[in-house]
Amino acid sequence: MTTPEAEQGDVAGSDRATSEGASARPEERLERAVRAAEQALIEYEIAVETFRVEVENFARLHEQRLGPLYARLEELKALTAEARAARTGDPEDLRKAREARADLQPIPGVEELLNGWMDSGGLYPEAVAMLTGEPVRPPRRVRPSEEARRLYRELARKAHPDLAQEDDERKRREEFLTRVNAAYARGDEDELRELGAEWAAGPKPKEQRPSRSEELYARLEWLAQRKELLTVVAKGLEDGAIAGMLRLAPDDPDRLLDEIAEQLRKEVAEREAELAALLSQE
């Protein structure tokens, strides 16, 4: 088993600029750097994903093989605590018995708590309002108010597509009027006022496209950020308990599970013997 950092390798170094790079355009050198960074990121993503699958598969196997043994130990812990409390009657023993049993019980009444709070699409608006402290919004008016009608007529006169002489301007007006119609249908005066202010401000200036060099630098920056995110993911996997177990037996993790299972079975036998001894004293 190897970690993503070990598997990454020196992919970027394999694409270093050669002697002709000195005379190449800056964009060409940037393009080579981007290709090398992309290939390095691909290899790193593959390594992280491979490691993630390995960890998840081992975690699933760990749960399947050892989960029942851990559950049996917890049950024996509760039974032993209850038997000891029944024999001694000591308040501290009684408290420990209650806590041990409570650790095994599911949270009571979960379905009842959710009844009336959640539908197939999620929480009801009333539930969201209660959880967030926000008031429940009353339903919108079916008929727009006089003010909404006034705002709508004013905007429709100003922004009507028939007033445009160029195709781009007509398209802009059609898209804007679609938003105006939707706001008017909802009777939303505030949105109609905002649309009026937007129209008065005029069309947004066309954005200038970045140069090829700017695009390449932006791509390199994104690749670096993506690498940082993957590094965080990989570190989280490596620092986890399952990865720690894998490091103990990288070549034969099944054998490690067998050894742990054997230890757990011995502990189960000891707990069962302890419980039997307590019960025989009653």
Side-chain angles (χ1 to χ4, degrees), residues 57-68:
N57 286 341
F58 186 73
R60 190 176 299 110
L61 187 60
H62 178 276
E63 176 62 26
Q64 290 174 352
R65 296 180 61 177
L66 304 184

Side-chain angles (χ1 to χ4, degrees), residues 11 35-48 223 230:
V11 179
R35 287 196 299 270
E38 287 173 340
Q39 187 60 37
L41 182 63
I42 290 172
E43 295 298 327
Y44 191 53
E45 284 184 337
I46 291 172
V48 171
L223 290 167
L230 286 171

Side-chain angles (χ1 to χ4, degrees), residues 30-105:
L30 276 174
E31 287 171 356
R32 287 199 297 270
V34 168
R35 287 196 299 270
E38 287 173 340
Q39 187 60 37
L41 182 63
I42 290 172
E43 295 298 327
Y44 191 53
E45 284 184 337
I46 291 172
V48 171
E49 179 64 13
T50 301
F51 187 53
R52 184 190 67 79
V53 170
E54 185 177 0
V55 168
E56 288 190 356
N57 286 341
F58 186 73
R60 190 176 299 110
L61 187 60
H62 178 276
E63 176 62 26
Q64 290 174 352
R65 296 180 61 177
L66 304 184
L69 291 171
Y70 283 120
R72 177 57 178 163
L73 283 173
E74 291 299 314
E75 175 67 20
L76 286 169
K77 177 183 176 182
L79 291 172
T80 301
E82 289 167 348
R84 182 175 292 107
R87 184 172 63 84
T88 65
D90 183 85
E92 181 65 14
D93 289 339
L94 292 170
R95 182 188 65 79
K96 291 180 179 179
R98 287 193 299 269
E99 290 180 354
R101 179 56 59 183
D103 289 341
L104 299 177
Q105 300 298 329

Side-chain angles (χ1 to χ4, degrees), residues 169 172-173 176 179 194-206:
E169 176 64 12
R172 182 179 80 89
R173 287 171 175 263
F176 180 80
R179 295 164 58 198
E194 292 175 1
L195 288 167
E198 180 183 326
W199 183 261
K204 296 181 180 179
K206 293 183 178 180

Side-chain angles (χ1 to χ4, degrees), residues 84-280:
R84 182 175 292 107
R87 184 172 63 84
T88 65
D90 183 85
E92 181 65 14
D93 289 339
L94 292 170
R95 182 188 65 79
K96 291 180 179 179
R98 287 193 299 269
E99 290 180 354
R101 179 56 59 183
D103 289 341
L104 299 177
Q105 300 298 329
I107 300 175
V110 171
E111 294 183 358
E112 289 77 2
L113 288 173
L114 294 178
N115 185 29
W117 278 68
M118 184 178 293
D119 59 7
S120 59
L123 292 176
Y124 289 120
E126 293 80 3
V128 173
M130 291 182 68
L131 292 172
T132 59
E134 297 180 357
V136 180
R137 294 182 179 180
R140 296 280 187 183
R141 292 172 59 92
V142 176
R143 296 185 60 189
S145 65
E146 287 295 331
E147 177 65 8
R149 284 197 286 272
R150 183 189 70 77
L151 291 168
Y152 169 72
R153 288 194 294 268
E154 183 177 320
L155 281 171
R157 293 189 185 103
K158 291 179 179 179
H160 200 282
D162 288 347
L163 298 176
Q165 297 182 3
E166 298 179 357
D167 290 341
D168 289 345
E169 176 64 12
R170 172 180 286 276
K171 182 178 179 181
R172 182 179 80 89
R173 287 171 175 263
E174 288 175 347
E175 293 174 351
F176 180 80
L177 203 58
T178 298
R179 295 164 58 198
V180 171
N181 291 336
Y184 178 60
R186 295 191 298 270
D188 195 330
E189 297 178 14
D190 291 337
E191 186 174 354
L192 286 169
R193 292 190 184 94
E194 292 175 1
L195 288 167
E198 180 183 326
W199 183 261
K204 296 181 180 179
K206 293 183 178 180
E207 296 182 359
Q208 292 184 344
R209 289 187 57 83
S211 66
R212 179 58 177 165
S213 294
E214 290 172 336
E215 290 178 346
L216 291 169
Y217 275 120
R219 178 63 174 168
L220 281 173
E221 183 178 357
W222 181 88
L223 290 167
Q225 293 173 350
R226 176 66 178 169
K227 171 65 163 44
E228 290 178 1
L229 290 174
L230 286 171
T231 301
V232 172
V233 173
K235 189 174 188 310
L237 290 169
E238 292 168 5
D239 292 345
I242 294 298
M245 294 179 66
L246 281 171
R247 282 193 291 271
L248 295 175
D251 298 326
D252 192 2
D254 287 342
R255 179 182 57 80
L256 176 63
L257 289 179
D258 291 338
E259 292 176 357
I260 297 175
E262 183 62 27
Q263 295 173 1
L264 290 175
R265 280 191 287 268
K266 290 180 180 179
E267 190 173 348
V268 166
E270 293 171 358
R271 292 284 183 92
E272 288 176 340
E274 181 184 2
L275 177 61
L278 284 172
L279 294 176
S280 66

